[in-house]
Amino acid sequence: MQMPLCPKLWDRSPVPPENAITINGTVVVAKNFGLSAPGKSTTLRLFSGTQIDHGTRKGKLSAEAPLRGGKKSKHGKTSTTTYHVSFVMEAEFGTPGAVAVKNGNRADQFFLRHVQLELAHDRTIHFECNSWVYPYKKTTCDRLFFINTSYLPSKTPEALLLLRDEELRSLRGNGRGERKDWERVYDYDYYNDLGNPENPDHVRPVMGGTRTHPYPRRCRTGRALSNTDEVTETRKHVINLDFYIPPDERFSPGKLAEVLTLGVQAVTHFVVPEMKTMIQGNNFRSIEKLTEDLYTRPSQPAADGEVMDRLKTSVPSHKTYKQVAKNVKDNPVKFPIPQVIQHDREAWRSDDEFAREMLAGLNPVAIKRLQMFPPVSSGGKKSSITAQHVESQLADVTIEMAMRQNRLYILDHHDYLMPYLRRINTLGVCIYASRTLLFLKGDGTLKPVVIELSLPASDGGDGEISRIFLPASHGSDAHLWQLAKAHVSVNDSGYHQLISHWLFTHAAVEPFVIATRRQLSAMHPIHKLLDPHFKDTMQINTLARSILLNAGGILERTMYPGKYALEMSSAIYGEWRFTEQSLPNDLVKRGMASRDPAMPGGLSLHIEDYPYAVDGLDVWRAIDGWVRSYCARFYHHDAEVAGDTELQAWWDDVRSAGHGDRQGDPACWLALDTVNHLAETLSTLVWIASALHAAVNFGQYGYAGFPPNRPTRCRRFVPQPGTPEMTQLEADPEKFFLEMLPDRFTATLGLALIEVLSNHTADEVYLGQRATSTWTDDGELLQLLDRFREELRRVEKRVVERNKDPRLNNRRGPIKVPYTLLFPDVAGMEKGLTGRGIPNSVSI
């Protein structure tokens, strides 16, 4: 158990000194469902930040001061209670630098927003807390908060040095024991909580800690690990909300109720279709009937009774359950019409839209420029695509000319899939590995020119069986082409959800959250810079492991890799490099841009109308400018970066522990030895947590909310000529197409999931915003943040202007939906399925 402050170090009832002074202050506590408010038994003490008690080597300590009053108040959207407190201390106490809070409640914790002191000469001191304070009876410790001034370790006032060190040591813990709800301990663990060893069908390999299954670490939520193969964490409920995460990483009660409401509605969305399946069968009869069933049917009952009964056993408090029940009752269930079919019900079928979504859809981070023809796999095998397949579609240019002109591109879902296809296709699905080649036309749009679908050879060897499909608009070839595009979309859907979204944002960021809490004091300026970009990440990841990623969970039931999903993502993580995650470096790696000092940002795009990249580079430059100006405020020389003990410990923790399975690749990480390397590292991290996640998450419902556009698995292979299946296709192409796609229940379950994931919640804090204006007392930093916010507003104006430009065909495409996923939305006024806005963090 952590003990950052030992109560034996002071007398809790000292006699006020003769030359006493009084400092008055206010204490603001958030109201919370079902929890007792702090009373007179809750007390505070101040540590001096300027005068040392030589007996303890810490700042001088004031007498205890109890809370007084308790008036209803409001801070932003949060209902709060404001208390008063008065500290009596000797005149030579100095300036307060930390406050220790003792929760005297018997059982309940409270959420402390801030403490503010009024000093002489109209001076105020602010302690930004935003933290849960648990009863002293449980913690046997007072809760410590530092002043909102930033200090590098070497510049910390001597009176606060030992307190700073003790607090960090307590947050790291000792790596032993089972976590209690009130403990603030951050430690690393493997992904050992996804399977259930008691169910043979739900046994899953541990992810992380081995060369076979490398993976980022997560926060330890149970007992300590001793062996990756023998220790497995278990869950108490199928839908589990009763798990440990450090208190300050938990959702606010309001957000928890909102997310649970969405979840209950999602479950209800597929409870009703499951009942329909029993009556009507498990296939949609037509595209028209699918659209009618999903979007135009009457609103369903607010929630299924069984769902609510199960929820009652797993929510943390009865008050939370009552709030969820009210929210659900007030919001009947009905799927909204997704953007992709709002204006034109047929445009999604077109080749133009199929290609455009690779540049401006929900997974615009996978397309690459073709740099070798024919494509060659990592094992050296050449693709079966030939020049004859392609050149007739290249507008009188040869393949060599098109490649020199940067006009050939590829969506490649081949190499990473081939080793898994035999196993995946035993799970009742029909999956190919695919390569899609595209040609850049004169109007700046892409045209798909060939699709290759491959399977492992039937003899069990390492050979492949490949089929080639070419664009066609009439007859059997047109039907086959549509089926081939659907199989490519299935590949891309799986890669998007498991890799682009989960692995490269959610899983990749969590080790940084843990390392920051363990190694950087709350007083450290880099901690203050990063803190808003970690909001709710740990809780949403824990929920994902409990409901989505777990054995038999929603992702295994809806995405084609099934039980091999995490194993496949582990293989891709084995090649992941943090240095390649910044947008400029990613674009260059994929061949979508080249270094060009003459261009803004030193980068030249090969597809000028690439909405994700164009808007993204504007956002990247704004982030990078903010981060560099922030770092320059504290680090004036490279030596100050190299000599920052906490910063170096943080970077070592990230590389050797949090992403320990990637520490052997020297190209994976920059050395944190210069101000420039620090700024690039931090800009990359902020980009991943904010803009990258927004680009691959909040468009999910808009594009994949219509299952035929982004199917998640296939139940049939493309038929061979002369077979009974080919006869079925020719007789009724739409029926065959729908029978190939996910069944009614699977499609609706997946739809319910992405509706939840695509929602902006009410307490979202967007890029350029802070939850409060008192996060720092540094006026220059506040001015720098204002400039960052103004730059983001200029980005917004440019996004709007581009979307109005008729020459930029990829901004709207055949479906007539403007690209807004990287519209920052600095105002951040809307919630729900907006399809726009960049939250600070990976929070849903």
Side-chain angles (χ1 to χ4, degrees):
M1 186 178 292
Q2 52 155 358
M3 296 187 66
L5 295 173
C6 177
K8 296 179 180 178
L9 293 180
W10 61 71
D11 176 5
R12 289 196 171 270
S13 302
V15 178
E18 292 182 5
N19 59 341
I21 61 170
T22 300
I23 295 179
N24 294 314
T26 54
V27 178
V28 176
V29 174
K31 284 189 175 181
N32 289 293
F33 303 131
L35 298 178
S36 302
K40 293 181 179 179
S41 58
T42 294
T43 59
L44 288 77
R45 298 191 117 193
L46 296 177
F47 279 99
S48 174
T50 56
Q51 299 296 319
I52 297 177
D53 180 332
H54 295 289
T56 64
R57 296 186 296 121
K58 302 172 185 176
K60 288 186 175 181
L61 190 64
S62 75
E64 283 186 300
L67 296 182
R68 293 183 287 107
K71 185 177 179 180
K72 290 181 180 179
S73 52
K74 198 87 171 176
H75 287 77
K77 300 176 183 177
T78 304
S79 296
T80 56
T81 304
T82 299
Y83 299 87
H84 294 280
V85 64
S86 296
F87 299 92
V88 179
M89 60 196 72
E90 61 184 22
E92 294 77 24
F93 182 83
T95 302
V99 60
V101 182
K102 175 190 173 186
N103 179 353
N105 289 345
R106 289 189 175 184
D108 286 345
Q109 66 273 23
F110 59 83
F111 191 82
L112 180 60
R113 297 273 300 202
H114 68 253
V115 177
Q116 186 158 301
L117 306 178
E118 306 296 331
L119 305 186
H121 310 297
D122 296 325
R123 184 186 172 198
T124 62
I125 286 182
H126 190 88
F127 300 90
E128 190 73 9
C129 306
N130 293 314
S131 183
W132 291 99
V133 180
Y134 275 78
Y136 181 85
K137 183 178 179 181
K138 294 180 177 179
T139 65
T140 67
C141 302
D142 287 18
R143 184 72 170 81
L144 186 69
F145 299 97
F146 293 105
I147 191 173
N148 65 342
T149 303
S150 298
Y151 294 109
L152 294 175
S154 62
K155 297 180 180 179
T156 306
E158 187 178 356
L160 300 178
L161 273 174
L162 191 55
L163 291 172
R164 179 173 183 149
D165 179 66
E166 286 181 346
E167 176 75 356
L168 281 176
R169 283 193 284 113
S170 74
L171 290 169
R172 289 193 285 270
N174 58 20
R176 298 192 298 270
E178 187 170 351
R179 297 285 178 254
K180 307 298 183 185
D181 285 347
W182 54 84
E183 292 185 307
R184 296 170 56 244
V185 178
Y186 294 80
D187 202 0
Y188 298 102
D189 208 344
Y190 309 112
Y191 279 70
N192 62 342
D193 59 344
L194 302 176
N196 180 3
E198 296 177 2
N199 182 342
D201 292 335
H202 287 176
V203 173
R204 299 292 182 268
V206 172
M207 295 292 120
T210 65
R211 296 183 66 179
T212 308
H213 296 124
Y215 223 65
R217 302 299 187 263
R218 64 175 180 90
C219 188
R220 180 159 78 85
T221 56
R223 62 189 184 279
L225 272 181
S226 60
N227 181 288
T228 61
D229 295 319
E230 296 177 3
V231 177
T232 302
E233 282 195 15
T234 57
R235 299 297 193 194
K236 296 180 181 179
H237 303 286
V238 174
I239 298 178
N240 181 51
L241 298 170
D242 185 18
F243 42 68
Y244 169 84
I245 60 171
D248 294 345
E249 309 302 330
R250 297 174 194 160
F251 289 162
S252 67
K255 177 164 182 175
L256 178 60
E258 191 173 352
V259 170
L260 289 178
T261 299
L262 292 169
V264 168
Q265 291 177 335
V267 171
T268 300
H269 269 315
F270 66 82
V271 167
V272 174
E274 185 175 32
M275 295 169 61
K276 279 193 171 186
T277 295
M278 297 169 63
I279 301 169
Q280 302 177 2
N282 206 15
N283 291 322
F284 294 107
R285 294 199 297 270
S286 66
I287 297 291
E288 181 180 355
K289 184 62 176 172
L290 178 150
T291 305
E292 178 185 333
D293 283 356
L294 293 180
Y295 316 115
T296 61
R297 58 183 165 82
S299 298
Q300 299 299 321
D304 178 78
E306 183 181 350
V307 174
M308 295 303 294
D309 288 343
R310 290 185 183 183
L311 182 69
K312 187 183 293 187
T313 66
S314 57
V315 294
S317 77
H318 182 65
K319 288 280 189 177
T320 300
Y321 172 79
K322 287 179 66 177
Q323 181 64 38
V324 173
K326 181 181 183 302
N327 290 351
V328 168
K329 184 178 179 181
D330 294 343
N331 295 279
V333 173
K334 187 175 182 179
F335 282 130
I337 298 175
Q339 289 177 308
V340 72
I341 58 168
Q342 274 182 356
H343 302 290
D344 187 330
R345 295 290 174 93
E346 295 297 320
W348 64 274
R349 295 180 187 267
S350 70
D351 289 357
D352 287 347
E353 181 60 24
F354 173 72
R356 188 194 73 90
E357 290 183 19
M358 300 179 198
L359 302 175
L362 59 85
N363 191 34
V365 296
I367 188 171
K368 302 175 183 178
R369 181 164 55 87
L370 186 67
Q371 306 201 37
M372 181 179 294
F373 186 88
V376 177
S377 69
S378 55
K381 294 177 183 176
K382 288 186 178 182
S383 164
S384 58
I385 299 173
T386 67
Q388 187 177 0
H389 292 134
V390 177
E391 286 191 334
S392 63
Q393 305 177 68
L394 299 189
D396 298 325
V397 299
T398 65
I399 290 175
E400 291 74 14
M401 291 170 59
M403 292 180 66
R404 284 199 304 271
Q405 295 169 5
N406 300 320
R407 298 180 69 183
L408 278 179
Y409 294 83
I410 183 170
L411 185 68
D412 194 342
H413 293 299
H414 181 275
D415 285 8
Y416 72 88
L417 256 178
M418 285 303 296
Y420 292 91
L421 277 185
R422 282 195 178 93
R423 285 178 284 169
I424 288 173
N425 284 332
T426 65
L427 303 177
V429 295
C430 299
I431 306 299
Y432 297 98
S434 67
R435 292 185 177 107
T436 305
L437 268 55
L438 306 106
F439 177 64
L440 182 63
K441 298 189 294 184
D443 64 357
T445 63
L446 289 173
K447 169 188 176 182
V449 294
V450 63
I451 291 173
E452 177 188 47
L453 300 182
S454 302
L455 290 170
S458 56
D459 61 7
D462 60 357
E464 298 178 11
I465 301 171
S466 297
R467 295 180 65 187
I468 300 297
F469 299 89
L470 301 177
S473 56
H474 302 288
S476 298
D477 287 343
H479 303 326
L480 293 172
W481 175 245
Q482 288 294 334
L483 298 185
K485 288 197 298 180
H487 274 279
V488 171
S489 294
V490 167
N491 285 173
D492 201 56
S493 292
Y495 188 91
H496 160 260
Q497 197 66 274
L498 296 168
I499 309 303
S500 303
H501 182 208
W502 165 254
L503 177 62
F504 287 170
T505 63
H506 284 261
V509 168
E510 184 162 351
F512 288 92
V513 182
I514 303 168
T516 300
R517 308 305 191 211
R518 285 166 54 86
Q519 303 295 350
L520 296 179
S521 166
M523 287 191 287
H524 199 292
I526 303 306
H527 186 289
K528 291 183 183 294
L529 172 70
L530 294 178
D531 185 59
H533 302 291
F534 297 152
K535 178 180 180 289
D536 295 338
T537 298
M538 202 172 288
Q539 170 123 44
I540 200 65
N541 284 4
T542 307
L543 277 170
R545 296 197 309 274
S546 177
I547 300 170
L548 307 182
L549 301 168
N550 57 310
I554 294 177
L555 283 185
E556 286 197 0
R557 296 176 67 183
T558 59
M559 307 302 294
Y560 73 82
K563 66 181 182 180
Y564 301 109
L566 268 287
E567 191 175 339
M568 191 173 76
S569 72
S570 166
I572 292 172
Y573 175 70
E575 303 296 323
W576 177 88
R577 287 175 172 170
F578 181 75
T579 50
E580 296 172 349
Q581 304 310 303
S582 72
L583 180 58
N585 288 353
D586 170 62
L587 292 171
V588 171
K589 179 193 175 186
R590 290 191 284 121
M592 303 302 290
S594 297
R595 302 290 181 189
D596 185 350
M599 297 296 292
L603 216 60
S604 175
L605 289 173
H606 297 311
I607 300 178
E608 293 182 10
D609 184 14
Y610 183 1
Y612 164 75
V614 174
D615 294 358
L617 285 171
D618 276 356
V619 175
W620 166 266
R621 285 189 284 268
I623 291 172
D624 195 48
W626 153 244
V627 170
R628 289 183 184 278
S629 62
Y630 187 101
C631 290
R633 179 82 176 109
F634 298 95
Y635 299 98
H636 305 102
H637 308 287
D638 292 343
E640 291 177 312
V641 173
D644 185 332
T645 53
E646 286 184 11
L647 188 68
Q648 295 302 322
W650 170 76
W651 195 227
D652 182 66
D653 222 35
V654 168
R655 293 176 299 167
S656 64
H659 281 285
D661 295 340
R662 298 296 298 127
Q663 64 179 319
D665 181 357
C668 192
W669 311 99
L670 289 173
L672 218 58
D673 53 2
T674 67
V675 178
N676 182 57
H677 280 183
L678 173 63
E680 184 171 348
T681 295
L682 297 174
S683 294
T684 300
L685 181 53
V686 172
W687 163 262
I688 295 170
S690 59
L692 178 59
H693 179 258
V696 299
N697 182 67
F698 292 105
Q700 291 193 74
Y701 191 82
Y703 287 99
F706 183 61
N709 187 54
R710 298 284 298 183
T712 57
R713 61 204 310 180
C714 278
R715 295 180 288 160
R716 303 182 77 165
F717 291 115
V718 180
Q720 296 279 359
T723 62
E725 289 80 10
M726 190 69 188
T727 303
Q728 294 172 17
L729 174 64
E730 292 171 338
D732 193 337
E734 186 168 289
K735 181 181 179 183
F736 190 99
F737 179 78
L738 289 172
E739 289 177 351
M740 186 182 80
L741 268 52
D743 58 54
R744 179 192 299 270
F745 181 75
T746 303
T748 313
L749 175 56
L751 195 58
L753 167 64
I754 62 172
E755 185 189 19
V756 173
L757 296 179
S758 301
N759 263 275
H760 287 290
T761 56
D763 72 344
E764 207 89 85
V765 181
Y766 290 84
L767 194 62
Q769 295 179 339
R770 290 279 173 146
T772 71
S773 61
T774 48
W775 62 278
T776 180
D777 63 356
D778 189 325
E780 184 170 329
L781 286 186
L782 294 175
Q783 289 180 356
L784 292 175
L785 183 60
D786 285 341
R787 291 177 201 165
F788 178 38
R789 197 178 296 115
E790 286 304 312
E791 180 56 32
L792 289 173
R793 289 194 178 99
R794 286 190 283 272
V795 172
E796 290 177 352
K797 291 180 181 179
R798 291 196 288 271
V799 170
V800 171
E801 290 168 0
R802 290 178 190 129
N803 285 336
K804 292 179 179 178
D805 190 337
R807 298 168 299 176
L808 302 178
N809 296 303
N810 294 325
R811 302 293 306 193
R812 289 178 175 268
I815 62 170
K816 299 180 177 61
V817 174
Y819 186 74
T820 57
L821 291 173
L822 288 174
F823 181 91
D825 196 15
V826 176
M829 299 300 290
E830 297 181 85
K831 72 171 188 174
L833 293 170
T834 67
R836 58 190 278 169
I838 303 176
N840 273 321
S841 62
V842 180
S843 58
I844 196 164

